[in-house]
């Protein structure tokens, strides 16, 4: 094959190869910018993340190969351009510069700055090729936000109001039925304590039905697929106000593009959901409208000697509009007239009385609390509780649910049974938290009181305000737990939620995986050295073709050692 043909094929291959590489670089960059991010399948994401050294090595190896290919194509173009330039007279400095370009080197001659600068610039650009290809191709941890939407139970719907009315009639004075009494008893107390003590460094992670919440449930129902909690099926008889835990299905659809379902390295969710909370205001009062007589009952030993006394309390009072209210307690003492040492007693009345079937409008309620003995630091207190339905921003991250209230509105007259249930839960908690000698609410407040009192700079009035603030947080936590309990109880499988009792859930899923994304505007600059090198090559090829086509040159080789003397 003639030398001229070989040069033609060599130059053609160089042009084709450089064009392919340039198109591939720009195409990859375009896909990254359009996708933002461009992700890899889950298998490769896990592999890349678990083996970063190997990933970096492979990426650098590919980038080096592409750089060598790009540099080789440029050298071929410069060599051909130099051959054709040498058909005319050329100075030695320009010849040396051309040879340096063809060999991917540079020239240093301070008496001839232009050739020196040209070769240095070209040399520098070719040396940037490895870093440019590496920066362009190296995968990194990326986050991908995908729209998600679905539905959940609407606590303010008329359909749900009818459901809870039926449940309250069925439960009667018990409020809750079966094993759910244990759930409400323990869960309500823990949620209140978690909310009250969080500000004092106590871990605020609260667990209900296998789901972890930060500080409080916020009255929301877990809507993310991987945050459903318990997976055990229950019978229909163990739903509603007889709920004691079980599988609560989620109804969230994620709009994966092209049906591509990704798990990635981790998944988080950010959703707008309906929540439930309360505006709680506690203040001390100097007057009371309830009485608290007790009746000592001796508990004898086998020989008839009294071992200890049980005090049966019948707390009664009158709320507004003459509505009666009541509460019963039992405490223990070694005397019929004096409380037992280190014992504490907190009695509370909820107004209006929750078990009333008619009368009050039930848009809000109050709790009157009287503390004695160990808990005497807590003054006679009135807590006004106004339940609120909220729109909350709920984040699901690291297996924990966090809620932030975006806006809220008071429950209206159309939600009488819901408000009455919340009052009944507060009434239930105020009764069951009192043991024979101590009170769980009182112990939580007592630890806060002791901690605050130990600070000499805090006066008694400030300590009282602080304790009342924590009591507000406690009851708010109980109300929010009640909202989550209700949503779970009426959403648990095999219950079905009527269409008119559903409310929309919207937001997005954030997937953490491996891939490429537009980290910054400078990411696009990584293609610039590659593009400039390609343009220099095209310029050299254009110079060669100009000599061939315009000056009728050829691809014959200049041979200084074999001059043509004919």
């Amino acid at each position: 094959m003639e030398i001229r043909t070989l040069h033609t094929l060599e130059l053609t291959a160089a042009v084709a190869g450089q064009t392919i590489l340039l198109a591939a670089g720009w195409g990859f960059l375009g896909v990254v910018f359009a996708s933002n991010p461009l992700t890899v399948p889950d298998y490769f994401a896990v592999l890349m993340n678990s083996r970063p050294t190997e990933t970096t090595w492979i990426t650098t190896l590919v980038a080096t190969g592409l750089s060598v290919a790009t540099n080789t194509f440029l050298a071929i173009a410069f060599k051909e351009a130099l051959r054709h330039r040498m058909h005319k007279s050329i100075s030695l400095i320009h010849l040396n510069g051309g040879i340096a370009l063809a060999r991917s080197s540079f020239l240093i001659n301070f008496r001839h700055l232009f050739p020196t600068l040209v070769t240095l610039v070209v040399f520098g650009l070719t040396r940037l090729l490895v870093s440019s290809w590496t920066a362009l191709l190296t995968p990194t941890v990326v986050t991908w936000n995908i729209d998600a939407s679905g539905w959940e139970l609407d606590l303010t719907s008329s359909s749900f109001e009818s459901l809870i009315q039926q449940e309250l009639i069925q439960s009667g004075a018990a409020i809750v039925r079966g094993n759910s009494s244990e759930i409400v008893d323990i869960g309500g107390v823990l949620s209140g304590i978690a909310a009250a003590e969080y500000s004092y460094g106590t871990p605020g992670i609260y667990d209900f039905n296998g789901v972890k919440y930060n500080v409080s449930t916020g009255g929301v129902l877990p809507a993310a697929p991987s945050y459903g909690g318990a997976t055990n099926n229950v019978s229909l008889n163990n739903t509603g106000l007889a709920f004691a835990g079980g599988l609560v299905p989620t109804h969230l659809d994620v709009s994966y593009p092209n049906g591509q379902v990704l798990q990635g390295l981790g998944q988080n969710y950010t959703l707008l959901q309906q929540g439930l909370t309360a505006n709680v205001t506690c203040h001390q009062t100097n007057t009371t409208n309830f009485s608290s007589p007790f009746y000592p009952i001796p508990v004898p030993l086998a020989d008839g000697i009294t071992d200890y006394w049980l005090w049966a309390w019948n707390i009664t009072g009158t709320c507004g509009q003459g509505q009666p209210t009541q509460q019963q307690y039992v405490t223990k003492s070694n005397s019929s007239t004096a409380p037992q040492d280190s014992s504490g007693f907190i009695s509370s009345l909820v107004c209006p009385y929750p078990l009333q079937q008619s009368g009050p409008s039930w848009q809000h309620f109050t709790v009157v609390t009287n503390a004695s003995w160990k808990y005497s630091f807590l003054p006679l207190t009135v807590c006004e509780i106004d339940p609120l339905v909220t729109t909350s921003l709920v984040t699901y991250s690291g297996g924990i649910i966090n809620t932030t209230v975006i806006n809220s509105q008071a429950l209206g007259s159309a939600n009488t049974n819901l408000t009455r249930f919340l009052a009944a839960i507060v009434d239930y908690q105020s009764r069951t938290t009192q043991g024979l000698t101590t009170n769980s609410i009182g112990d939580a407040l007592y630890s806060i009181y002791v901690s605050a009192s130990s600070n000499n700079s805090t006066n008694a009035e400030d300590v009282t305000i602080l304790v009342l603030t924590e009591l507000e947080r406690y009851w708010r936590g109980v109300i929010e737990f009640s909202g989550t309990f209700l949503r779970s109880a009426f959403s648990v499988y095999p219950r079905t939620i009527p269409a008119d009792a559903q409310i929309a859930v919207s937001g997005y899923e954030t997937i953490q995986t491996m891939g490429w994304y537009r980290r910054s505007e400078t990411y696009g600059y990584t293609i610039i050295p590659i593009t400039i090198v390609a343009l220099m090559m095209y310029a050299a090829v254009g110079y060669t073709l100009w000599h061939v086509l315009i000056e009728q040159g050829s691809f014959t080789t200049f041979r200084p050692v074999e001059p043509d003397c004919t």
Side-chain angles (χ1 to χ4, degrees):
M1 183 180 294
E2 295 183 1
I3 294 178
R4 179 170 55 187
T5 304
L6 288 175
H7 290 171
T8 303
L9 292 176
E10 186 180 53
L11 189 61
T12 303
V15 172
Q18 187 69 277
T19 303
I20 291 173
L21 291 182
L22 183 63
W26 276 102
F28 180 79
L29 185 66
V31 172
V32 170
F33 273 60
S35 301
N36 198 34
L38 175 63
T39 60
V40 300
D42 289 340
Y43 172 79
F44 293 105
V46 174
L47 192 64
M48 290 176 178
N49 188 65
S50 61
R51 297 186 176 182
T53 302
E54 290 85 346
T55 301
T56 302
W57 180 78
I58 293 174
T59 304
T60 305
L61 185 64
V62 172
T64 302
L66 295 173
S67 175
V68 169
T70 304
N71 207 13
T72 300
F73 297 148
L74 179 64
I76 292 173
F78 279 151
K79 182 175 64 176
E80 288 299 328
L82 180 61
R83 283 191 179 120
H84 286 274
R85 177 66 182 86
M86 289 171 62
H87 279 281
K88 295 181 179 181
S89 60
I90 184 173
S91 65
L92 287 177
I93 187 62
H94 288 159
L95 178 61
N96 288 337
I99 293 173
L101 293 176
R103 297 177 60 185
S104 299
S105 182
F106 58 91
L107 176 68
I108 298 295
N109 190 322
F110 294 108
R111 292 185 302 172
H112 301 278
L113 292 179
F114 182 73
T116 299
L117 291 175
V118 170
T119 57
L120 285 174
V121 169
V122 174
F123 178 80
L125 286 171
T126 57
R127 291 304 175 267
L128 281 175
L129 290 175
V130 174
S131 61
S132 295
W133 281 113
T134 301
L136 184 66
L137 299 178
T138 299
T140 186
V141 177
V142 300
T143 55
W144 188 14
N145 293 334
I146 308 174
D147 291 338
S149 61
W151 55 271
E152 63 181 352
L153 176 64
D154 182 5
L155 293 184
T156 62
S157 64
S158 58
S159 180
F160 176 75
E161 179 72 8
S162 299
L163 287 175
I164 194 172
Q165 182 182 28
Q166 296 171 10
E167 289 281 334
L168 288 172
I169 294 173
Q170 183 178 354
S171 297
I175 302 301
V176 291
R177 306 189 304 276
N179 293 331
S180 64
S181 60
E182 180 179 347
I183 298 296
V184 173
D185 188 5
I186 298 176
V189 172
L190 292 180
S191 65
I193 292 177
E197 292 191 340
Y198 176 72
S199 57
Y200 283 84
T202 303
I205 303 302
Y206 170 69
D207 192 309
F208 173 66
N209 198 34
V211 182
K212 292 181 172 61
Y213 300 87
N214 185 26
V215 182
S216 175
T217 69
V220 302
L221 179 72
S226 54
Y227 287 78
T231 57
N232 57 296
N233 292 323
V234 298
S235 66
L236 191 60
N237 291 332
N238 291 323
T239 65
L241 297 186
F243 176 72
L247 173 63
V248 179
T250 58
H251 307 280
L252 188 71
D253 295 322
V254 181
S255 304
Y256 295 105
N258 302 321
Q260 178 188 10
V261 179
L262 284 180
Q263 300 296 323
L265 305 174
Q267 299 169 295
N268 301 327
Y269 296 85
T270 303
L271 303 174
L272 282 176
Q273 295 182 237
Q274 185 188 78
L276 187 70
T277 186
N279 183 17
V280 183
T281 304
C282 295
H283 57 87
Q284 64 183 95
T285 181
N286 296 323
T287 60
T288 178
N289 60 353
F290 67 93
S291 61
S292 53
F294 70 92
Y295 307 94
I297 303 173
V299 178
L301 294 173
D303 57 4
I305 299 177
T306 299
D307 184 20
Y308 58 88
W309 296 78
L310 292 178
W311 293 12
W313 300 80
N314 184 32
I315 313 298
T316 59
T318 302
C319 299
Q321 301 176 355
Q323 296 289 342
T325 184
Q326 60 183 339
Q327 191 66 277
Q328 289 79 36
Y329 297 94
V330 176
T331 60
K332 175 183 175 182
S333 178
N334 49 19
S335 168
S336 63
T337 58
Q340 186 169 312
D341 293 341
S342 72
S343 63
F345 179 47
I346 294 181
S347 59
S348 298
L349 289 177
V350 176
C351 297
Y353 187 49
L355 297 183
Q356 291 178 167
Q357 298 297 324
S358 61
S361 62
W362 282 113
Q363 295 185 34
H364 57 83
F365 54 94
T366 60
V367 182
V368 182
T369 300
N370 187 31
S372 305
W373 312 331
K374 177 183 177 181
Y375 310 126
S376 58
F377 63 89
L378 179 65
L380 183 63
T381 302
V382 174
C383 292
E384 300 174 358
I385 301 178
D386 294 286
L388 306 171
V389 62
T390 69
T391 298
S392 297
L393 184 67
V394 186
T395 58
Y396 300 76
S397 178
I400 299 175
I401 299 177
N402 293 270
T403 60
T404 302
V405 175
I406 303 300
N407 56 62
S408 62
Q409 63 181 19
L411 295 176
S413 57
N415 307 114
T416 294
N417 289 293
L418 173 58
T419 307
R420 190 161 67 91
F421 172 81
L422 298 177
I425 292 295
V426 170
D427 179 76
Y428 181 87
Q429 291 296 329
S430 65
R431 179 175 70 254
T432 57
T433 53
Q434 178 62 50
L436 292 176
T437 58
T438 58
N439 186 291
S440 56
I441 301 176
D443 287 343
L445 296 177
Y446 182 76
S447 63
I448 295 171
Y449 168 76
V450 171
S451 176
S453 298
S454 62
N455 188 348
N456 295 329
S457 62
T458 306
N459 57 47
E461 183 178 355
D462 290 339
V463 171
T464 299
I465 294 174
L466 186 61
V467 170
L468 294 181
T469 300
E470 297 308 313
L471 184 59
E472 292 172 356
R473 291 194 177 104
Y474 178 88
W475 288 124
R476 187 179 301 112
V478 171
I479 294 296
E480 292 177 354
F481 161 78
S482 302
T484 299
F485 171 82
L486 280 177
R487 294 183 192 278
S488 302
F490 288 87
S491 303
V492 64
Y493 181 83
R495 269 188 178 265
T496 57
I497 301 177
D500 57 353
Q502 299 174 9
I503 190 171
V505 173
S506 62
Y508 57 87
E509 177 188 9
T510 300
I511 298 177
Q512 190 178 59
T513 185
M514 298 296 294
W516 302 264
Y517 73 107
R518 188 174 56 190
R519 295 181 287 273
S520 65
E521 297 300 328
T522 58
Y523 178 68
Y525 297 157
T526 57
I527 198 70
I528 291 180
I530 301 170
T531 303
I532 293 176
V533 169
L535 292 176
M536 288 191 302
M537 179 199 155
Y538 293 143
V541 172
Y543 179 82
T544 300
L545 293 177
W546 180 73
H547 272 271
V548 172
L549 300 176
I550 303 301
E551 298 187 351
Q552 300 300 315
S554 66
F555 283 99
T556 56
T557 305
F558 175 75
R559 300 172 184 270
V561 296
E562 298 179 8
D564 186 2
C565 299
T566 59

